[in-house]
Amino acid sequence: MGKTRKHRTGETLPLFAEETAPIAGPGPYAATNAGRLRQWAARGIFFGTSSWKYPGWKGMVYTRSYPSKRDFEQECLAEYASIFPTVCADFALYDFPKPLQMRAFHESTPEEFTVSFKVTDRITIKRYPDLPRHGSNAGTVNPDFLNFALFEEAFLRPLEELKGKVGVIIFEFSTFHPSTGISLPVFLSLLDPFLARLPSSYRFAVEVRNADFLTPDYLHLLQAHGVAHVLNSWSRMPPLDEQLAAPGSLPAPFSAVRALLKPGRTYQDAVDTFQPYDRIQEPIPAIRQALADTVVRCMKEDKKLYAYVNNRVEGNSPKTIEAILDILAQYPYEKL
């Protein structure tokens, strides 16, 4: 057994320098998919993954030599960006972006590459969960919930170092339980003035985890501010196809979709089942088809789409994206 490292979520992954099992496939991932991804990006459809520093992708996405785990984590974005047109930086949920890091992202990626971000949860959490990572804040009410001044200074300002390479900025709101006092009317009354202050120089989207919030009032509010609803496949949310079918589900000039988990599956169960994310372990045709349908809908409505896939959907997000590209390849080009 080789050395392993423990993540905060309980994941155990092999160090990148170790050998991993060969990945079955018709050929190198980039040779099969990079051209197709560029073609879709040229049409305003941007496919990417949720995060990118996965040793399990060695031999698939990552074929360069990285002498150490540290080298890999610092340098692999450049190789990732040679294949994919965008990525979602999920890490920003846990801490505000750092200017030097944003500058490094800009310098190591092509001009047309974009990075989307989840907004740091200090802005989006009403009451901190009782988890060790929140320290003394665990279980307490967050005084900075929807604090626009803090968001502007601590989140948006560092993104200026990306110099136009920002994709979508996503406000992910975890489930509001009754103890938070946040019902849908209360949520909308707090969200409305916050969204009204957002600068027009960025694209913004809202992702909710309360299924009962997916109402016409919620979607109309987003539309009034030019903000997208993030179609999201997650444990306790309706399937993607149901969200897409809701009237007004694409309320902005662009859209965003995040395939995160199979509905009904918990995050930890997905981690335990799928790590180290080196192959597809559970194909889910319904999610693949819903993502393809979202692409078709956005093409027909002349909307840009940022589509992100997580390893914890099927076990390996690059291969899930490849499967979606295969579905789209079956459609008559002239009808898209």
Side-chain angles (χ1 to χ4, degrees), residues 215-234:
T215 65
D217 286 344
Y218 161 74
L219 293 169
H220 289 158
L221 176 63
L222 298 187
Q223 183 180 37
H225 296 291
V227 172
H229 163 63
V230 179
L231 303 161
N232 62 101
S233 179
W234 186 75

Side-chain angles (χ1 to χ4, degrees), residues 4 23 33 46 52 109 113 131 206 244 251 261 271 280-281 298:
T4 58
I23 302 169
N33 299 298
F46 307 96
W52 66 94
T109 57
F113 187 78
L131 297 174
V206 171
L244 183 64
L261 293 168
V271 169
I280 294 288
Q281 295 194 51
C298 287

Side-chain angles (χ1 to χ4, degrees), residues 218-283:
Y218 161 74
L219 293 169
H220 289 158
L221 176 63
L222 298 187
Q223 183 180 37
H225 296 291
V227 172
H229 163 63
V230 179
L231 303 161
N232 62 101
S233 179
W234 186 75
S235 302
R236 296 187 295 275
M237 288 294 286
L240 285 175
D241 59 345
E242 291 185 20
Q243 293 184 48
L244 183 64
S249 60
L250 305 183
F254 64 95
S255 191
V257 58
R258 296 210 306 146
L260 305 168
L261 293 168
K262 175 183 177 181
R265 168 170 279 152
T266 67
Y267 176 87
Q268 191 58 50
D269 177 58
V271 169
D272 295 339
T273 300
F274 296 139
Q275 64 174 329
Y277 314 120
D278 59 351
R279 66 194 186 281
I280 294 288
Q281 295 194 51
E282 183 183 327

Side-chain angles (χ1 to χ4, degrees), residues 124-183:
T124 58
I125 283 182
K126 177 61 176 174
R127 180 184 293 274
Y128 288 107
D130 193 10
L131 297 174
R133 78 176 181 87
H134 293 298
S136 61
N137 289 327
T140 66
V141 173
N142 175 20
D144 290 317
F145 179 64
L146 291 178
N147 181 333
F148 186 84
L150 178 64
F151 170 68
E152 186 176 43
E153 180 62 29
F155 196 93
L156 288 184
R157 195 170 302 282
L159 297 192
E160 293 174 2
E161 296 292 338
L162 270 170
K163 305 182 190 303
K165 291 188 178 182
V166 179
V168 181
I169 297 172
I170 298 169
F171 296 95
E172 178 195 297
F173 293 96
S174 299
T175 304
F176 291 111
H177 298 288
S179 62
T180 65
I182 302 293
S183 62

Side-chain angles (χ1 to χ4, degrees), residues 8-23:
R8 64 175 182 279
T9 59
E11 298 180 55
T12 302
L13 298 179
L15 295 181
F16 189 75
E18 294 182 347
E19 292 298 322
T20 56
I23 302 169

Side-chain angles (χ1 to χ4, degrees), residues 291-335:
L291 280 159
D293 291 344
T294 304
V295 170
V296 173
R297 170 88 172 271
C298 287
M299 292 294 296
K300 290 181 177 179
E301 297 187 17
D302 196 26
K303 296 178 186 286
K304 289 186 176 181
L305 174 65
Y306 294 84
Y308 298 107
V309 179
N310 198 295
N311 278 327
R312 296 165 194 92
V313 175
E314 298 185 328
N316 180 275
S317 51
K319 280 293 188 179
T320 300
I321 290 173
E322 181 178 78
I324 297 164
L325 296 176
D326 289 343
I327 293 173
L328 291 169
Q330 300 173 26
Y331 294 1
Y333 185 89
E334 64 277 5
K335 292 185 178 182

